[in-house]
Amino acid sequence: MYVVTNPANGELVEEVANSTNEEVQAAIGRVHAGFPAWRSRSVADRAAIVARAADLFEQRTDELAAIMTLEMGKRVNEGRGEIGIVVDIFRYYAEQGPALLADEPLDIKGGQAVITKSPIGALLGIMPWNFPCYQVARFVAPNLVLGNTILLKHASICPRSARAIEEILRDAGVPDDVYVNTFASSRQIPAILADPRIQGVSLTGSEQAGVSVAAEAGRHLKKTVLELGGSDPLIILDTDDMDETVNATATARMRNCGQSCNAPKRMIVLAGIYDEYVDRLTKRVAEYYVPGDPADPETKLPPLASVAAADEVAGQVAKAVEQGATLRTGGRRIGPGAYLEATVLTDVAPGMDAYYEEIFGPVVIVFRAETEDDAVRLANDTPFGLGASVWGTDPERLRRVAERIEAGMVYLNRAGGSQADLPFGGIKRSGIGRELGPAGIEEFMNKKSIRL
């Protein structure tokens, strides 16, 4: 069952029945049948449709933001911002797609060759709830331009987002058998992946979900892209404006109520400024991030996406304190709804659950590093490797530290970013593959070598 429950007050809004096995099979058949005609259309034609989709997303910004606020509690202003990046992604691939898909001549020993770039077929997309439109856009936009067809399974709390996205793509001119939404259950995913008509799968979600999907996809030799969890480090080497650093780093952590895979979750601060940073951060978090109605533009801290999510994060905080961490502020559940006080933890050490696990909520963990080397050690002491950031006043030092961090993305004096033309993805247990930028259109591409 797909269920919309308003996380601000716990009220049931809508229930949608799961697709039957017969409906899922029919959906697979549609995207498989639609592939030959879609791939045969010119790149310019497909790109023009994707460009129209960008315009329609922009026109429906307020509507889509309101849907996200209702379904998963996103602050309405953040919802509008999310649609802004969605528009950028669709426009980027509409504008750059033809050049990115151009043949590449290749000089080889004894002659010449050309690398052609073509789609591979029908793909399955499994999308999360935390960015209901952005996550879909970064998978869908490049693959529509490339010429693949798409079966999309959205998160079970986001049926309205799923329907709205499908409607926009239809209105833009995407044929009925090129993009198909399914309300499949997780139990139906193995059968979809086993179907020879599906050529690949992209999943954004939890580490556990990624392991399960990757195992099934591997069993059937299906191409896989996985964007999973993160426990991103944020290293602060020094600062010439502590208030600005505190406000900027707190904002990065608390964005989307802390429910971002690439949000900085571990602040690693050099010893000389550690105490001052913790004191000011604690004050900022306690005073500024006050829970409120996510539909109110003035709200700073919305609910989490569900009561279950809020209970889980509150339990992680309580467990950390039980194991010896220091609770500087927050940590309490607030009801009705899925609210949790913004939280700061320190003195988290190896052996505690919170040292290694991802906390997906408004919780900041701050570590003291005695030296630059110690900071890098702490940053890399994680099973994840999605993103990271380094903050300080010396550009050469920032670059030096960034090159030592084990992650798919590192930002300097900014954190948790995403933009259409910059590849996004991680290493270690944070996933496989890249999305966005030039790399994002290549994952489900057949790069065919033709010897001339």
Side-chain angles (χ1 to χ4, degrees):
M1 184 74 71
Y2 282 61
V3 180
V4 179
T5 302
N6 186 343
N9 55 28
E11 293 181 359
L12 177 65
V13 177
E14 180 182 7
E15 294 182 332
V16 180
N18 286 120
S19 299
T20 65
N21 290 337
E22 292 74 19
E23 289 169 337
V24 170
Q25 287 299 307
I28 295 172
R30 286 173 59 192
V31 293
H32 174 70
F35 175 64
W38 183 243
R39 73 170 296 177
S40 70
R41 295 175 75 157
S42 69
V43 175
D45 189 12
R46 296 194 299 262
I49 291 173
V50 168
R52 287 198 292 274
D55 293 340
L56 293 176
F57 275 106
E58 188 170 50
Q59 292 169 19
R60 294 177 64 172
T61 293
D62 288 345
E63 173 194 347
L64 293 166
I67 289 173
M68 290 187 279
T69 296
L70 180 65
E71 287 183 325
M72 52 78 58
K74 189 183 296 288
R75 292 196 304 124
V76 66
N77 287 346
E78 289 187 327
R80 295 188 185 109
E82 179 172 337
I83 301 305
I85 183 65
V86 167
V87 172
D88 288 346
I89 291 168
F90 274 86
R91 286 186 177 150
Y92 170 79
Y93 285 109
E95 294 168 1
Q96 300 299 320
L100 293 172
L101 298 180
D103 292 350
E104 291 183 13
L106 185 66
D107 293 328
I108 60 174
K109 184 177 180 180
Q112 290 186 319
V114 64
I115 307 296
T116 64
K117 302 172 183 179
S118 57
I120 63 172
L123 308 175
L124 171 64
I126 304 173
M127 298 292 111
W129 47 260
N130 58 331
F131 289 94
C133 294
Y134 158 70
Q135 306 278 17
V136 174
R138 68 187 195 187
F139 167 59
V140 168
N143 281 297
L144 288 179
V145 173
L146 175 57
N148 291 315
T149 57
I150 294 166
L151 179 66
L152 200 291
K153 181 215 173 301
H154 216 312
S156 61
I157 67 171
C158 296
R160 295 190 174 192
S161 293
R163 287 192 296 246
I165 292 167
E166 186 175 41
E167 182 179 287
I168 286 173
L169 295 177
R170 290 282 180 278
D171 291 346
V174 176
D176 290 352
D177 55 1
V178 168
Y179 180 95
V180 177
N181 180 70
T182 177
F183 290 125
S185 70
S186 297
R187 293 189 301 274
Q188 291 168 306
I189 297 302
I192 297 174
L193 292 174
D195 195 303
R197 295 171 293 181
I198 295 295
Q199 301 302 309
V201 57
S202 178
L203 174 140
T204 299
S206 68
E207 178 187 0
Q208 180 181 1
V211 169
S212 176
V213 166
E216 288 293 336
R219 187 172 291 114
H220 302 288
L221 297 179
K222 302 296 175 71
K223 174 62 192 263
T224 305
V225 171
L226 304 173
E227 195 274 278
L228 309 178
S231 187
D232 291 11
L234 185 155
I235 296 175
I236 303 176
L237 301 171
D238 57 65
T239 180
D240 54 12
D241 189 332
M242 180 61 78
D243 284 337
E244 181 180 351
T245 298
V246 165
N247 293 347
T249 55
T251 297
R253 178 64 187 111
M254 295 298 171
R255 186 178 297 119
N256 207 40
C257 200
Q259 300 167 121
S260 301
C261 297
N262 65 325
K265 299 182 177 74
R266 296 178 297 134
M267 311 302 192
I268 300 168
V269 186
L270 259 61
I273 57 173
Y274 173 86
D275 290 335
E276 182 183 5
Y277 178 82
V278 169
D279 289 345
R280 295 199 192 188
L281 176 71
T282 301
K283 186 174 187 294
R284 175 70 172 179
V285 167
E287 295 179 358
Y288 185 78
Y289 292 97
V290 178
D293 182 356
D296 182 349
E298 298 303 314
T299 289
K300 300 300 185 292
L301 186 70
L304 280 83
S306 67
V307 168
D311 288 343
E312 179 179 359
V313 175
Q316 288 176 296
V317 171
K319 186 66 173 292
V321 173
E322 177 185 322
Q323 293 177 335
T326 299
L327 179 65
R328 299 280 181 153
T329 188
R332 290 187 304 126
R333 281 278 283 112
I334 305 171
Y339 290 92
L340 175 74
E341 287 181 329
T343 303
V344 176
L345 289 171
T346 58
D347 304 312
V348 172
M352 300 180 187
D353 292 0
Y355 186 84
Y356 292 110
E357 66 187 3
E358 177 182 27
I359 298 183
F360 213 57
V363 179
V364 189
I365 301 178
V366 190
F367 296 86
R368 177 196 293 267
E370 297 304 323
T371 64
E372 181 181 306
D373 287 344
D374 191 33
V376 172
R377 178 191 62 78
L378 285 166
N380 292 336
D381 191 15
T382 173
F384 298 105
L386 187 54
S389 62
V390 188
W391 299 62
T393 57
D394 181 345
E396 291 186 5
R397 188 185 189 194
L398 293 176
R399 178 66 180 270
R400 181 179 70 240
V401 172
E403 291 177 350
R404 299 174 64 193
I405 294 176
E406 299 167 356
M409 307 170 287
V410 182
Y411 298 84
L412 305 184
N413 286 328
R414 64 186 69 193
S418 179
Q419 60 188 71
D421 54 359
L422 184 67
F424 185 107
I427 60 172
K428 298 197 279 191
R429 299 191 71 82
S430 285
I432 301 168
R434 292 293 182 270
E435 296 178 292
L436 300 177
I441 204 167
E442 297 181 351
E443 291 289 351
F444 297 101
M445 173 191 289
N446 177 16
K447 295 183 178 180
K448 185 189 299 181
S449 300
I450 300 179
R451 175 68 158 85
L452 303 179

